[in-house]
Amino acid sequence: MEEFNLKKDRWYKQKLEEKQRKLESDENYTYTITEVAELLKVTRQTVWNWVKAKKMNSFKFGSSIKSPVRIKKVDLDDYIDRSKRHRNICKHCLM
């Protein structure tokens, strides 16, 4: 039974690694607001504020008000890069 669990754990770990590699390589991958908040360790409301203030690019699936909002991986990477550059320049943000 223990051998089965080891194989299962190995298989699960391999699947997670494959998924991570795909996420890192796929530029068309999209995140939900919740996923972005978890990645950046902020609240969902903070991500919504960034989207509303046009600090982070996003798009909607559909034209309804309740259509889900998505953020492309490329746009998230761009936002992170801009934030890093801003912190390197602005000493006020380091406090």
Side-chain angles (χ1 to χ4, degrees):
M1 187 68 172
E2 189 174 318
E3 184 179 323
F4 173 74
N5 286 337
L6 288 174
K7 286 182 181 180
K8 184 178 175 184
D9 289 343
R10 217 176 296 134
W11 176 84
Y12 183 72
K13 185 177 179 182
Q14 182 181 7
K15 289 295 180 185
L16 283 176
E17 289 172 354
E18 287 175 12
K19 184 178 179 182
Q20 186 63 31
R21 266 184 267 138
K22 184 177 180 190
L23 286 177
E24 291 172 355
S25 65
D26 189 7
E27 293 183 2
N28 293 324
Y29 186 79
T30 60
Y31 295 101
T32 63
I33 297 290
T34 303
E35 289 172 332
V36 172
E38 289 172 0
L39 285 169
L40 300 179
K41 296 183 180 8
V42 295
T43 64
R44 290 180 61 219
Q45 186 61 49
T46 299
V47 177
W48 272 113
N49 292 341
W50 292 337
V51 168
K52 287 178 186 175
K54 305 282 188 212
K55 292 182 179 181
M56 184 179 289
N57 294 331
S58 65
F59 65 96
K60 283 181 140 186
F61 282 125
S63 58
S64 170
I65 292 174
K66 294 185 177 183
S67 296
V69 174
R70 299 283 190 247
I71 298 168
K72 290 184 182 179
K73 183 182 184 316
V74 175
D75 293 332
L76 179 60
D77 292 341
D78 181 51
Y79 176 79
I80 292 170
D81 288 342
R82 282 186 286 129
S83 296
K84 285 180 183 176
R85 273 187 267 132
H86 176 75
R87 285 197 176 101
N88 288 338
I89 295 169
C90 182
K91 293 181 182 178
H92 179 285
C93 294
L94 295 175
M95 296 180 180

